[in-house]
Amino acid sequence: MTHATPPSDSTKPPKAKGQNKCREIADVWRDLGASPIPVKLFAQKEPDVTSWRQYQTTQPDSAQIEQWFGPKRGIGIVTGIGGIELLEFENEVPWTRWCRDMVDAGYADDLRKICDGYLAKSGGGGYHLIYRTDEPGGNVKLARLPKGVEMLRYIERDGAFKTSGDLIETRGVGGYVVVAGSDPDVHPTGQPYRRIRLPEHYVQPFPKLHIVVLDDDQDGERVVNAHIADDRAALSPAPDHLHHVAPELRETMFALARQQNQREPDQQKGEHRSELSRPTGQGVPGARPGDAWAAVTTWDEILEPHGWRRDHSTAESDRWTRPGKSSGTSATTDYNGSGLLYVFSSSTVFETGDEATYSKFGAYAQLNFDGDLEGAARDLADKGFADPLRAEADSRQQRVVQLAIQREMHLEADEVARRSRATRDMRIPPTRSMLDAINHPLPEPAQLVDRLVIGEGVTLLSAQNKTGKSTVGVNLVKSLLDGGDLFGQLATRLPTDAGVGVWNAEVSAATYERWMVEHGLSADHADRLTFFHMSGYAVDLMLPTWREQAVSWLRDHNVKLWLLDPLSKIYRGDENSATEVNAWWMAVREIMSQADVPAAFVIHHAGHTDDDKRARARGSSAIEGDPEVVLSYRHGGKPGNFPPDNRRYLSGVGRIDGVVSLTLDYDPETRTLAVDRESQGFTTDRQVHEDETLARAAWKLLDGAESKRDDGGAWVSKQQIKDADTGFGDKKTLECLSRCVSRGYLVVESTGNGKPDKVRRGARRPR
């Protein structure tokens, strides 16, 4: 292993402070034997230098440091060079547990000395311990959570969640780390890296310390009820020395860290090669040599002949001390009934790491045959254990049984978790008798807008694409705040001190706010309208952190109507899953209840539908199953096309008696929707539009048909009308042609058998 020789004076004090503190800090680290490198701002802690790996063996010179480090920079050091190594803890929980274990093992003084060199807290709430050692290793993950389980590390400035399954890891040869004194913008949270002291009570004996994780705060740090306070007294960013860790102490540090590992290995060392099933002697029928031998052999019989000594036992496992060491835990066996050997120490013949566990046979092969599984199997077969002629089907069957047991355990765990959550979230609904209903009738639900928007519950608006669904929301907000009639006809009821909160995930902040200005909301009421512009932000109301944020935001702005536009960009689950949709509606209801928000107006896209059907919500039927009122909003054209005119059609059903059906006229200049009193309804309006479209096409054809004249004037054939670019099929063309005759747009002459033949202009010109 190659790394630069550390300076002879590792306690050299920092250089005099000047204006450029970043360069001063980099100089101190260089004097300590490290290779300082610049780190980019706002870029996930990436190095800001080409080929940073060259500095694993060579330090940058003074000119490079002068060039790299300006007043506002991120500072990193390459680990490995100069014997420098980092032990990183993802949050306060593994850090506190490790400190406790170090003190319990008798290493309190060593812990204090290491931390006096360099202990820092990262911008994401992690803990960095940097020291010097004779032979730094590579980058190793010492402790991890079970597969599929992740913890929240921190929340980035843009609202994104950073999660990890790692608890403790190292940075050595081939790694680098950001150090204290860097600009806070190096870290995605915008929080600084800072040196801290180890609180003195950390190195006192721990009689019994229970770590209880209460919650995640908004900075992504764990809040721990351990009665341990972080000493936040200011320290200089750069250390004046790094403590040297001897090999045996380093081994103990890593072993104690590995004791927190919770990840099971993919496979056990020593039981994955086909040599175990080769025919090599006589034995018990139906079993492999290693299986038969392990069934009658204890771990003491396997380990003690090679110098291992049982240290002590706990309810979780048996603890072992390696050969050549007087005390301390170097390995465990039978952790939680697994029957496996897990080795922490790197000073043995066994491999270490979260994937390195050994069955009894695997350990036997490693200790006695240098890992030769085939040789170990032959040896046991010669001693009379098992029958190596085991059929391959037996192995497959055993694996199937193992997987079945694991699957059953997962299903049981899912059921326990479901019941636990149901119990935690359970709210008992009120009980009333029919006599109560007669003698003490409940009031009808309030209406925020007469016969349209419920005042206590959720109103869902499903709208065709290109209809202008957000415009409905803009009109609703203005009428509620100004107290005017919605669409010039429907009375509104919103307390004069109540606020409206708009969660806009549809368009940019500038666009939505311009729409409100164009619509003419009075400045007297503008302070009651608050926007939460969500474009580009991963907001998920199924997460407790976001539910708490929503409740706080709605309360702070006294919101009594919560407008969400649109559902598809705020809801993060599968729209077609009734289970996920219902869970999301429950989250919305929970937020409304906790924030004292009586009403919500949710805008959603319509799914594919027939021309004459209502605009039904896209996705699972559960989307329309929860709201008290479901509104349909569409234009008069074909679904998915741009509107043919300014008419819009609004109708609905729900827990308001007689939900109105309205035709609205849209004014694009003011974005105002008003009741169109000349409309004859969706079906008639659409027929008029289609008839006028066909009539205009026919009149255009007749402009060039002057040569086709007889006593009745110019004409075109029925087939020419069918071939015109109207977008109509033959059936609809004939229906429109018949109505155009009755409206006076066209005149049709029929053949002898009564079929339309010649088409002429009528007395009335189409619009």
Side-chain angles (χ1 to χ4, degrees):
M1 185 176 303
T2 304
H3 55 266
T5 303
S8 58
D9 181 10
S10 63
T11 62
K12 184 176 181 179
K15 294 182 178 180
K17 295 183 178 179
Q19 294 299 318
N20 191 342
K21 294 183 178 180
C22 288
R23 189 180 70 244
E24 293 172 0
I25 295 170
D27 284 335
V28 171
W29 278 107
R30 185 176 182 276
D31 292 341
L32 289 173
S35 286
I37 58 172
V39 180
K40 297 179 182 178
L41 307 184
F42 308 104
Q44 300 292 330
K45 300 173 285 186
E46 295 180 7
D48 194 10
V49 60
T50 304
S51 302
W52 68 270
R53 295 185 183 276
Q54 63 182 296
Y55 301 107
Q56 293 175 352
T57 55
T58 304
Q59 289 183 297
D61 57 31
S62 299
Q64 288 173 306
I65 293 179
E66 178 74 18
Q67 177 185 357
W68 286 345
F69 294 97
K72 185 177 175 67
R73 292 294 273 167
I75 311 167
I77 62 167
V78 178
T79 51
I81 185 172
I84 292 174
E85 193 171 70
L86 163 74
L87 194 56
E88 179 179 3
F89 304 80
E90 291 298 338
N91 58 43
E92 193 167 7
V93 175
W95 162 247
T96 306
R97 287 175 174 166
W98 183 80
C99 289
R100 177 199 63 188
D101 292 340
M102 285 284 287
V103 173
D104 288 347
Y107 294 95
D109 290 339
D110 296 289
L111 175 62
R112 183 188 292 109
K113 292 175 182 178
I114 298 171
C115 294
D116 286 346
Y118 184 89
L119 170 63
K121 198 166 186 179
S122 73
Y127 289 80
H128 291 177
L129 201 58
I130 299 179
Y131 51 88
R132 198 189 312 281
T133 189
D134 293 335
E135 290 290 337
N139 304 319
V140 180
K141 298 184 185 298
L142 300 177
R144 306 169 77 180
L145 291 170
K147 288 186 177 180
V149 177
E150 291 186 331
M151 61 182 173
L152 174 66
R153 290 185 61 188
Y154 50 78
I155 302 177
E156 299 182 358
R157 280 171 290 196
D158 62 1
F161 287 82
K162 183 69 172 181
T163 59
S164 173
D166 301 330
L167 293 174
I168 309 174
E169 58 186 320
T170 70
R171 288 285 184 272
V173 177
Y176 69 92
V177 61
V178 179
V179 295
S182 296
D183 189 277
D185 288 333
V186 168
H187 200 276
T189 63
Q191 299 298 316
Y193 289 74
R194 55 186 176 81
R195 281 185 69 206
I196 60 174
R197 294 184 177 89
L198 179 73
E200 182 58 28
H201 56 258
Y202 267 55
V203 291
Q204 300 303 322
F206 284 70
K208 188 66 175 179
L209 181 63
H210 296 280
I211 306 297
V212 181
V213 177
L214 296 180
D215 204 350
D216 296 312
D217 66 12
Q218 292 186 357
D219 292 328
E221 297 182 0
R222 291 288 189 177
V223 180
V224 180
N225 183 17
H227 305 292
I228 295 179
D230 183 12
D231 186 349
R232 297 180 181 270
L235 287 172
S236 62
D240 58 4
H241 74 284
L242 294 176
H243 184 68
H244 181 269
V245 174
E248 184 170 346
L249 174 59
R250 178 175 175 271
E251 176 186 318
T252 299
M253 291 164 57
F254 283 20
L256 294 177
R258 287 191 174 103
Q259 288 181 177
Q260 297 192 41
N261 185 57
Q262 303 175 41
R263 175 144 327 169
E264 296 181 0
D266 289 333
Q267 60 188 6
Q268 300 158 19
K269 296 289 183 179
E271 300 224 38
H272 58 281
R273 288 175 57 183
S274 61
E275 286 84 353
L276 296 180
S277 60
R278 291 186 179 178
T280 54
Q282 302 299 316
V284 179
R288 294 182 301 179
D291 292 337
W293 169 82
V296 295
T297 307
T298 67
W299 279 110
D300 301 76
E301 295 172 303
I302 299 170
L303 296 175
E304 287 181 352
H306 295 272
W308 287 80
R309 184 172 56 83
R310 185 185 291 271
D311 184 55
H312 66 285
S313 298
T314 68
E316 295 178 337
S317 64
D318 296 323
R319 309 265 176 121
W320 296 82
T321 302
R322 66 170 172 81
K325 189 175 181 180
S326 59
S327 63
T329 300
S330 304
T332 64
T333 55
D334 202 29
Y335 180 79
N336 283 342
S338 66
L340 303 175
L341 168 70
Y342 186 92
V343 181
F344 303 143
S345 173
S346 58
S347 300
T348 73
V349 297
F350 296 107
E351 295 181 19
T352 60
D354 61 346
E355 300 294 330
T357 58
Y358 291 82
S359 66
K360 287 182 177 180
F361 174 71
Y364 177 80
Q366 190 68 37
L367 289 168
N368 298 282
F369 295 88
D370 294 327
D372 181 1
L373 304 177
E374 184 176 0
R378 280 197 299 268
D379 176 73
L380 294 176
D382 291 341
K383 293 177 180 178
F385 290 100
D387 181 4
L389 296 175
R390 177 183 57 86
E392 188 64 28
D394 292 342
S395 175
R396 178 181 178 86
Q397 182 62 28
Q398 290 178 11
R399 182 60 177 158
V400 169
V401 171
Q402 290 176 355
L403 291 175
I405 294 173
Q406 292 177 10
R407 180 59 180 161
E408 185 177 0
M409 292 174 63
H410 283 302
L411 291 175
E412 290 179 4
D414 290 343
E415 179 63 18
V416 171
R418 185 190 67 80
R419 293 179 180 178
S420 175
R421 179 167 183 173
T423 302
R424 184 179 67 249
D425 297 339
M426 183 175 66
R427 293 187 298 164
I428 306 299
T431 301
R432 283 170 57 85
S433 68
M434 188 60 204
L435 188 60
D436 294 330
I438 295 172
N439 295 332
H440 306 287
L442 296 174
E444 290 295 322
Q447 296 183 22
L448 203 61
V449 179
D450 272 356
R451 300 173 60 197
L452 192 70
V453 179
I454 196 77
E456 296 179 1
V458 177
T459 300
L460 176 73
L461 175 74
S462 298
Q464 292 174 231
N465 191 28
K466 312 297 183 183
T467 308
K469 53 188 177 295
S470 296
T471 301
V472 178
V474 170
N475 279 256
L476 173 64
V477 169
K478 178 184 181 299
S479 297
L480 288 172
L481 293 175
D482 282 351
D485 292 345
L486 180 62
F487 310 138
Q489 178 172 308
L490 306 177
T492 60
R493 298 180 184 86
L494 182 72
T496 55
D497 62 341
V500 174
V502 175
W503 279 31
N504 162 42
E506 177 73 348
V507 296
S508 69
T511 300
Y512 205 101
E513 292 175 9
R514 175 171 54 80
W515 286 352
M516 289 304 310
V517 171
E518 291 175 352
H519 196 44
L521 176 65
S522 169
D524 296 336
H525 306 286
D527 61 334
R528 294 165 56 201
L529 173 59
T530 309
F531 301 103
F532 193 68
H533 298 299
M534 303 164 59
S535 180
Y537 293 87
V539 177
D540 189 350
L541 295 181
M542 295 303 294
L543 296 175
T545 303
W546 271 113
R547 288 204 294 272
E548 293 172 7
Q549 168 66 24
V551 170
S552 176
W553 187 89
L554 293 167
R555 282 178 178 169
D556 290 345
H557 300 289
N558 192 31
V559 171
K560 300 304 175 187
L561 173 67
W562 186 17
L563 191 151
L564 297 93
D565 181 14
L567 178 149
S568 60
K569 294 184 181 179
I570 300 174
Y571 169 68
R572 311 295 295 180
D574 180 0
E575 287 184 358
N576 297 307
S577 169
T579 301
E580 295 185 24
V581 169
N582 283 326
W584 188 82
W585 278 126
M586 289 178 63
V588 170
R589 299 281 186 171
E590 178 185 350
I591 291 168
M592 293 172 64
S593 175
Q594 294 182 9
D596 193 23
V597 176
F601 190 85
V602 181
I603 298 174
H604 186 43
H605 297 279
H608 296 291
T609 184
D610 296 334
D611 290 355
D612 58 347
K613 301 295 184 181
R614 71 179 180 89
R616 182 191 174 281
R618 184 180 69 191
S620 168
S621 59
I623 292 179
E624 289 193 351
D626 183 86
E628 281 75 10
V629 177
V630 177
L631 302 178
S632 169
Y633 189 61
R634 54 185 174 168
H635 56 65
K638 187 174 182 180
N641 290 351
F642 283 96
D645 51 34
N646 288 335
R647 279 179 172 160
R648 305 289 186 271
Y649 301 90
L650 181 66
S651 61
V653 294
R655 295 168 200 155
I656 294 179
D657 292 337
V659 178
V660 294
S661 294
L662 300 172
T663 301
L664 304 174
D665 182 70
Y666 170 57
D667 183 348
E669 293 186 1
T670 62
R671 300 193 173 275
T672 301
L673 292 166
V675 174
D676 186 343
R677 303 186 187 279
E678 296 181 359
S679 169
Q680 301 177 61
F682 176 81
T683 301
T684 302
D685 287 349
R686 191 165 191 176
Q687 287 180 354
V688 170
H689 172 74
E690 291 171 349
D691 295 348
E692 290 176 343
T693 299
L694 185 77
R696 285 195 299 270
W699 277 59
K700 184 177 180 181
L701 288 171
L702 287 163
D703 285 341
E706 293 299 326
S707 60
K708 291 184 177 180
R709 296 188 61 86
D710 52 24
D711 293 342
W715 59 271
V716 292
S717 68
K718 177 193 66 177
Q719 188 61 45
Q720 288 177 282
I721 300 294
K722 285 185 177 182
D723 295 339
D725 185 17
T726 59
F728 302 154
D730 288 351
K731 182 179 179 181
K732 180 167 286 189
T733 298
L734 293 176
E735 291 173 353
C736 292
L737 192 60
S738 176
R739 293 196 299 266
C740 285
V741 172
S742 63
R743 297 183 191 278
Y745 296 149
L746 300 172
V747 174
V748 176
E749 294 183 10
S750 301
T751 61
N753 58 7
K755 293 183 179 181
D757 184 18
K758 296 179 179 179
V759 180
R760 306 179 190 273
R761 287 176 178 166
R764 182 183 176 194
R765 187 180 186 92
R767 290 183 302 175

